[in-house]
Amino acid sequence: MNWKRARTDDKKNERKEAIFHAAFTLFKQKGYDNVSFNGIANEAGFTKSNMYRYFSSKEEIFLNIFAELFEGWFTDCCEELHRLGENPSIADFSKSWVKVIKNHPQFMDLTPLLFIALEKNSSYEQLLEFKTLSKDLLFRLSTEISNVYPEFQGEKSFQFLNLSFATMSNSWAAKSQNDALLKIYQQEEFMMMKPNFEPDLIAALEIILKGLKASD
């Protein structure tokens, strides 16, 4: 692919999307740890020097990808909360929350990496932009949760978001099992330890919601 220097915002955005596509393609093929900045440049048809016009590290690339995916998940989540209306059963809320998660597998693939890798090696400017976006989206989402459960005002809705993010991140990561794990889980003595993403996460969310409803 022959890339000339971008002179317009549209061209710059087009090239960023090409970088994002290349990065996620390699991520799915090789896993995050085996993707390099140079590898992304090669996959996208860039030279390393041209890549530095847009990003300073692979972490910044994936952080930007995550931000886009986060916005998509947020939009669908708000729509689902509107559909639920006020005071649905805890079971219905939990099932709906998991349904939205399952509709955004790319977002969930990157969520476990957010704190352990993506934020650690990004620049101050990139982190500030990302944290500002995250704060805005999470504040708006907490408001939507408060509309569904009026007793979840302010701190409680944020507590739910923090706890649910930790739970869904761990559950999603646990559902990726290599051949060795699958073989172990087939043995009777280990069957009870095998993660079962959807029912496990629904049960965990129900426990979180019941606990928050019972707290002062």
Side-chain angles (χ1 to χ4, degrees):
M1 191 177 295
N2 181 26
W3 294 101
K4 295 181 180 179
R5 186 173 180 179
R7 291 185 175 86
T8 66
D9 287 341
D10 285 345
K11 281 291 184 183
K12 289 178 181 178
N13 289 335
E14 181 182 327
R15 293 183 181 188
K16 284 185 177 182
E17 288 302 319
I19 293 169
F20 293 165
H21 177 74
F24 211 91
T25 297
L26 292 175
F27 167 69
K28 294 301 289 182
Q29 291 174 353
K30 300 181 175 183
Y32 179 80
D33 289 338
N34 296 316
V35 176
S36 68
F37 191 79
N38 286 345
I40 295 170
N42 291 334
E43 180 74 17
F46 279 78
T47 64
K48 188 174 180 180
S49 60
N50 281 336
M51 283 278 286
Y52 279 121
R53 296 177 185 273
Y54 302 97
F55 303 103
S56 65
S57 67
K58 78 169 185 178
E59 287 80 14
E60 285 193 359
I61 294 171
F62 280 103
L63 192 64
N64 277 266
I65 295 173
F66 184 86
E68 286 195 1
L69 296 172
F70 191 10
E71 290 186 89
W73 174 80
F74 162 81
T75 299
D76 285 357
C77 207
C78 287
E79 289 176 359
E80 185 65 18
L81 291 174
H82 287 157
R83 187 194 65 78
L84 279 173
E86 187 173 323
N87 281 318
S89 70
I90 285 177
D92 285 346
F93 182 98
S94 300
K95 289 174 184 176
S96 294
W97 194 265
V98 173
K99 180 180 77 173
V100 175
I101 289 170
K102 289 177 66 180
N103 287 338
H104 292 266
Q106 291 184 328
F107 169 68
M108 290 307 305
D109 283 343
L110 289 181
T111 296
L113 297 171
L114 180 62
F115 301 112
I116 63 173
L118 305 189
E119 291 189 344
K120 276 191 174 182
N121 297 311
S122 294
S123 67
Y124 171 83
E125 291 77 13
Q126 287 284 340
L127 278 174
L128 180 61
E129 183 178 350
F130 174 71
K131 287 297 189 183
T132 301
L133 169 69
S134 299
K135 182 183 72 172
D136 177 58
L137 295 181
L138 291 173
F139 176 79
R140 289 158 60 189
L141 189 54
S142 72
T143 301
E144 296 294 343
I145 291 169
S146 297
N147 290 336
V148 173
Y149 291 126
E151 70 267 40
F152 284 14
Q153 296 294 326
E155 185 179 344
K156 269 196 179 182
S157 59
F158 267 102
Q159 276 185 303
F160 171 75
L161 286 173
N162 286 333
L163 292 170
S164 67
F165 260 97
T167 303
M168 68 193 204
S169 175
N170 287 334
S171 296
W172 188 268
K175 86 183 205 34
S176 298
Q177 297 154 18
N178 60 25
D179 290 341
L181 274 173
L182 289 173
K183 188 175 181 180
I184 288 171
Y185 289 141
Q186 287 172 358
Q187 299 176 38
E188 187 174 355
E189 61 183 309
F190 299 113
M191 284 181 178
M192 68 177 65
M193 298 173 65
K194 183 179 180 181
N196 195 345
F197 173 73
E198 188 167 351
D200 288 352
L201 183 54
I202 288 172
L205 291 171
E206 289 180 356
I207 291 170
I208 291 169
L209 288 166
K210 288 174 183 177
L212 288 172
K213 279 179 170 287
S215 64
D216 294 332

